[in-house]
Amino acid sequence: MVLLDQTSLTAHSGPSRRALAITAAIAAVFLFGGGWLLLRQYGDRPPLAEDVAYESGFVHGSRVRQYDRVGDQVTDLRSGGCERLALAGAGGREMSYDPGLWVKGCMDGVSGRPAAGQGVIG
């Protein structure tokens, strides 16, 4: 396709391969450095681990409440079952981040209360 008043075809020459390679190398250094800093900061514990512990307990309590047809497990969890699960280590890895918040989330879930810290207001 020939544009008006243009008699020859020209190609746009982008950045050189050297400039692209240097830019990619610098970006890789920053990405790996940032990842290394995050791993060093949090280690095996994820960011916002307290929220993870609470939500894990809340999900456990909600599932027990939802699937318990007779109601025996719900009454057991309400009468100290969440604490017994936390002491036995039955809450999983997420419970180990903050057992107290896991128990609080479990009690909120089994009681049918909404999850704390959720929504627009928080």
Side-chain angles (χ1 to χ4, degrees), residues 55-121:
E55 288 298 320
S56 173
F58 183 81
V59 167
H60 179 77
S62 296
R63 286 182 180 165
V64 168
R65 180 178 174 85
Q66 183 178 9
Y67 294 114
D68 185 22
R69 294 178 186 254
V70 179
D72 296 338
Q73 292 177 339
V74 171
T75 55
D76 179 50
L77 286 180
R78 282 186 182 165
S79 64
C82 290
E83 291 88 1
R84 286 191 300 273
L85 285 173
L87 287 175
R93 182 177 184 177
E94 291 85 6
M95 187 266 310
S96 67
Y97 298 142
D98 193 336
L101 281 176
W102 188 89
V103 169
K104 184 176 184 243
C106 179
M107 291 300 293
D108 286 349
V110 82
S111 299
R113 290 189 291 263
Q118 299 296 312
V120 176
I121 298 175

